[in-house]
Amino acid sequence: MLSQTDQNRLNRSAGIASVGVAGILVAMKLWALAQTGSLSIAASLADSAMDLLISGAGLTAILYAQRPADEDHAFGHTSAEDLVSLGQALFVLASAGAIAWVATQRLLADTTPPLAAEGPGIAVMVASALLTAGLVLWQRRVARRTGNRVVAADMMHYVGDLGPTLGAILALWLSSRFGLSGADSIIALIAAAMMGRGAIVIGLGAWHALMDRAAPPEIIEGIAAIAASWPGVHGFHDLKTRTAGSRVFVNLHIELDGDQSLRAAHAIGAGLRRAIMQAYPQADVIIHKDVWGEG
């Protein structure tokens, strides 16, 4: 299991990589749009511009969430991750709506604007797809190892970017090969739908976390199994969890022999707490000790 320091380092690296790649993609697609006039490239550019803004906010949230607890934030600052994720979802949803509107207007128009310089446009979009794929692979690895919600949300954005990027390549090829410039608007509509779906998924996840939703069932079951088998624990109750960003806050009541010393009872509780945090490094655990057979 990774230590909290290692998790923080990986999360920072994913945030920095996201901002860097987003900046490069915006510059490349802006040039490609100026050369081709392609709406599907415009859709991909808008998505990347949103990603640059969102990635910057995400990196800020990652750094802020890593600040230790203080007097005003006794449980830390990890809820910043959920707030930023919700903002990400709203931005992407608005962008998808704007792209869908423009694409629909073009489809309903009497004439479709022709595309130009399809070859250079295709080259730029292929390079964009390769950069995006590399970033997604790194973010997926980090998100799986750390459970960071902002990194996971950013990864979903860039997975969504691959669709518009590949769609733009297809639209440019169809225009160059067969003169089908109308395919550009159709692919932009599909890209907008993909972006909207991803935004809803991300937004719901952030909303549930902000509403103190319980940890995933597998984590709750795992904690219960550790508590049930821990030496000296005769039973447990009131196992409650809530999530905030990548952190899981755990409250657990354990039932102990009331005739043993306070030192012995403390050792049992402390050992159980360490075991839970070793199994789930993202957990913040509070254990209450009750007398077995009473209450």
Side-chain angles (χ1 to χ4, degrees):
M1 286 294 194
L2 292 174
S3 67
Q4 191 61 50
T5 300
D6 289 335
Q7 290 187 40
N8 290 344
R9 177 179 53 80
L10 283 173
N11 290 332
R12 285 195 301 271
S13 72
I16 293 170
S18 178
V19 172
V21 169
I24 294 172
L25 292 178
V26 166
M28 293 172 62
K29 292 176 184 179
L30 189 61
W31 180 86
L33 175 62
Q35 296 298 310
T36 66
S38 167
L39 182 58
S40 58
I41 288 183
S44 186
L45 170 62
D47 202 23
S48 293
M50 285 293 180
D51 283 340
L52 178 58
L53 177 63
I54 290 167
S55 295
L59 178 58
T60 301
I62 288 171
L63 296 175
Y64 183 79
Q66 291 177 1
R67 295 174 59 184
D70 53 36
E71 291 184 2
D72 294 327
H73 305 87
F75 292 96
H77 302 78
T78 51
S79 288
E81 297 174 6
D82 302 313
L83 288 170
V84 169
S85 295
L86 189 58
Q88 289 173 332
L90 295 175
F91 272 118
V92 173
L93 196 60
S95 177
I99 291 168
W101 172 260
V102 175
T104 301
Q105 295 303 306
R106 279 200 180 184
L107 284 174
L108 296 177
D110 294 333
T111 58
T112 302
L115 303 183
E118 290 94 339
I122 290 174
V124 168
M125 298 311 287
V126 168
S128 297
L130 293 175
L131 272 174
T132 301
L135 177 62
V136 165
L137 290 175
W138 175 244
Q139 288 179 318
R140 186 188 303 275
R141 182 168 184 261
V142 172
R144 284 180 174 175
R145 299 187 71 185
T146 68
N148 187 278
R149 197 180 302 278
V150 172
V151 175
D154 229 20
M155 181 192 70
M156 289 182 66
H157 288 155
Y158 285 104
V159 169
D161 278 356
L162 284 174
T165 300
L166 295 175
I169 294 171
L170 176 60
L172 289 169
W173 181 79
L174 289 174
S175 175
S176 174
R177 188 77 171 82
F178 303 105
L180 299 175
S181 56
D184 183 56
S185 297
I186 296 173
I187 290 173
L189 278 174
I190 296 172
M194 292 173 60
M195 291 166 60
R197 180 183 179 278
I200 291 172
V201 171
I202 294 166
L204 284 176
W207 173 257
H208 287 318
L210 288 170
M211 296 302 292
D212 287 341
R213 191 176 192 177
E218 60 270 19
I219 293 181
I220 297 175
E221 292 169 2
I223 293 172
I226 294 172
S229 61
W230 194 254
V233 174
H234 296 282
F236 67 91
H237 58 276
D238 289 343
L239 170 55
K240 297 178 181 179
T241 64
R242 68 178 181 89
T243 56
S246 56
R247 301 290 288 171
V248 176
F249 293 92
V250 181
N251 276 270
L252 173 64
H253 288 250
I254 58 175
E255 300 168 9
L256 307 177
D257 183 355
D259 293 329
Q260 64 188 337
S261 67
L262 176 60
R263 188 183 301 277
H266 174 75
I268 293 171
L272 175 57
R273 180 175 182 272
R274 285 193 298 269
I276 294 173
M277 294 178 66
Q278 183 176 2
Y280 304 99
Q282 74 274 33
D284 187 306
V285 184
I286 296 177
I287 294 180
H288 306 268
K289 303 172 188 68
D290 298 330
V291 177
W292 178 43
E294 295 185 4

